[in-house]
Amino acid sequence: MSQLFFLGWCYTQFTSKPEDFPFWFMLPAIGFNLFFLNFRPILARYILPRREVYFDRLNQTVSFTWSVDNAQKNEHGHATFPFSEIEAFYAKANHSQGHGVTHAMYVAHKDYSNHAGAFSEIRVKDNPQNPNYCRYTWERVVRFMDLSKPLVDSPEIEPFRHLDPVTRDFDKQNNRPEKYWRLMSYKQMQQIEEQLDNDIYRFNFDGAITNPKRWANEEITKPWEKWPIDESLNQPDTTPYWKRLTKTLLRQIAVGV
């Protein structure tokens, strides 16, 4: 919305007959940006009903937080099925926001006719035009549910690795640094993420399924060896907090991000 108001101001000022622009019109844009960027997530988390699908590695189940026909309930009262009864697929989706043809990923019960409601879209990379991101997302789910292997070594899982027996044993046997990702700089994480993103974009998923010896990549199980922490990038941010906060608020007000 901020961009639209800015374009409107430019139109009134750089025409043959400049006109006064009512700057109070900016107030709705400012309010919109601040509300949806800062308060809407709070409302969605604590007030609005939560619609979630979650995967239980220990019990090998998948649960839906809404009503599903003919479903068993877990201890939380959620419709629950064995993981083996769930399948995933992706489909093309046309968007009217300039993204063209993109792909969305879905999970559903294999016998959906008997378990209506056991269906949900799974969030992947924003508006992925390449279906590889859908395939990769499901691959991560399948890998997470594989009890024969430790959890994938990623930043969001690191604080909880000790809770999984297989993962805890693997980390102990391989002397994994306890806070490897948490001690890494954000800048280095971004560099690694860009590298992995490029690998996913170009990866031959179909070839890896039909001819894994040729196309499948070896899993990275020891990232601390592949990507040692670069101390030159791990410099503390000495910018005062009030400056960083002011910069964030101004960016949100101006462009909504």
Side-chain angles (χ1 to χ4, degrees):
M1 288 186 67
S2 298
Q3 294 91 326
L4 293 177
F5 280 101
F6 177 74
L7 291 175
W9 176 79
C10 290
Y11 177 78
T12 60
Q13 299 303 307
F14 298 100
T15 58
S16 57
K17 295 181 179 180
E19 302 175 2
D20 292 334
F21 184 78
F23 283 95
W24 62 268
F25 273 23
M26 288 293 293
L27 294 178
I30 295 173
F32 177 86
N33 288 344
L34 291 178
F35 176 79
F36 281 94
L37 290 172
N38 295 291
F39 299 109
R40 184 174 178 275
I42 297 176
L43 293 175
R45 181 172 183 178
Y46 295 106
I47 299 178
L48 300 177
R50 302 176 67 177
R51 289 179 60 86
E52 297 177 336
V53 178
Y54 57 92
F55 299 83
D56 188 326
R57 171 178 164 93
L58 181 62
N59 295 314
Q60 292 292 290
T61 58
V62 182
S63 299
F64 301 81
T65 60
W66 57 87
S67 177
V68 176
D69 291 350
N70 305 313
Q72 298 291 326
K73 300 292 182 68
N74 63 9
E75 65 273 20
H76 304 293
H78 298 152
T80 302
F81 302 95
F83 178 60
S84 59
E85 296 180 5
I86 301 298
E87 62 183 357
F89 60 95
Y90 66 87
K92 292 182 178 180
N94 292 316
H95 294 270
S96 60
Q97 299 177 347
H99 300 294
V101 176
T102 61
H103 296 83
M105 175 187 163
Y106 306 91
V107 295
H109 196 281
K110 294 178 180 178
D111 184 13
Y112 186 78
S113 61
N114 191 41
H115 299 290
F119 174 88
S120 179
E121 180 177 349
I122 301 297
R123 171 171 285 188
V124 295
K125 183 181 176 70
D126 290 342
N127 300 313
Q129 295 181 332
N130 189 328
N132 274 8
Y133 295 106
C134 297
R135 294 165 169 170
Y136 170 71
T137 300
W138 181 242
E139 183 178 271
R140 281 181 62 89
V141 171
V142 173
R143 177 63 177 77
F144 172 78
M145 299 294 282
D146 189 347
L147 286 173
S148 68
K149 298 179 181 179
L151 293 169
V152 171
D153 203 327
S154 58
E156 68 273 16
I157 292 178
E158 183 178 62
F160 313 104
R161 292 178 65 85
H162 67 283
L163 299 177
D164 180 72
V166 177
T167 307
R168 184 174 60 245
D169 292 342
F170 174 86
D171 291 351
K172 184 176 180 180
Q173 293 170 6
N174 292 277
N175 296 316
R176 182 193 184 277
E178 182 181 356
K179 296 183 178 180
Y180 166 68
W181 293 110
R182 283 170 281 182
L183 293 176
M184 181 181 290
S185 68
Y186 179 66
K187 187 173 184 179
Q188 186 176 0
M189 282 191 184
Q190 284 184 309
Q191 294 175 353
I192 295 173
E193 184 178 13
E194 290 176 1
Q195 177 184 338
L196 294 177
D197 191 66
N198 290 331
D199 291 343
I200 295 169
Y201 188 86
R202 295 177 173 83
F203 187 68
N204 186 351
F205 275 89
D206 292 331
I209 294 174
T210 58
N211 191 353
K213 290 185 178 180
R214 178 181 179 184
W215 295 107
N217 290 339
E218 184 177 356
E219 182 180 358
I220 301 172
T221 58
K222 301 178 182 179
W224 63 91
E225 294 181 356
K226 182 176 179 60
W227 299 296
I229 293 179
D230 188 345
E231 295 295 345
S232 65
L233 299 175
N234 204 10
Q235 301 300 322
D237 186 356
T238 58
T239 306
Y241 175 73
W242 69 268
K243 285 189 177 181
R244 287 185 278 121
L245 180 60
T246 302
K247 182 179 179 181
T248 299
L249 290 175
L250 290 176
R251 185 176 67 249
Q252 291 180 350
I253 291 172
V255 296
V257 296

